[in-house]
Amino acid sequence: MNGDATMRARRAVSRYFEMWNTGDSSTAAEILSPDWIDHAHPEVVGVQGVREAIERIRTAQPDLRFQIDAVLGEGDLVAAVGGVDGAAPGLIWLVRTHDGKLVEMWTYRDSGDRGRAGNPEPLEEDSASRPSP
C-alpha cells in the first residue's frame, strides 16, 4: 500500500475519535465501512449503529472525551494510542481499514506497570477475533 493510503487510513481513525468527542456523527458514512464492527462492542454494527451509539452515550456522558496521543500505522492497519476522559493512558485501538474506511476495531488495555513494557489485554470477550500479532 502506498503512503497516501496509509495517511488516509490514519486520518480516518483520527476522524472517528473526533466524531465521538464532538458528538457530530454526520461524517460516519464517509469514514466507516457499511460492515463496521467494533469487537469490544459487537452490538454496535455499521454506520447507523455507530451514530446511535454516539447519540446514546453522549446523552448519558456529555463530557466523554477520548485523548489520542498517537496514530500510527502502515497500510491497512492503524493503531491509536491514548485514553478516555483524562484517565491515565493505556488504551490501544487497532483498526483495520479498506479504501480509506474503517472496517473493524479491536481495543486493548495496557495492563503492565508504568515504566516497563506492558502486556496488552483485549477488551473483547472473544479473543479468537483478535488479529494475529
Side-chain angles (χ1 to χ4, degrees), residues 60-131:
Q61 300 176 7
D63 295 329
L64 175 73
R65 295 290 179 273
F66 290 90
Q67 169 73 38
I68 304 302
D69 299 321
V71 179
L72 312 164
E74 185 68 33
D76 66 350
L77 287 178
V78 177
V81 179
V84 180
D85 284 340
L91 292 176
I92 302 166
W93 295 274
L94 181 61
V95 182
R96 185 174 67 85
T97 67
H98 181 73
D99 290 335
K101 291 191 175 192
L102 283 58
V103 177
E104 58 187 326
M105 180 187 319
W106 295 264
T107 304
Y108 298 87
R109 182 184 326 268
D110 181 355
S111 62
D113 293 332
R114 298 284 171 225
R116 294 190 316 183
N119 181 20
E121 297 178 352
L123 293 184
E124 67 270 6
E125 295 284 330
D126 181 12
S127 61
S129 67
R130 282 184 282 159

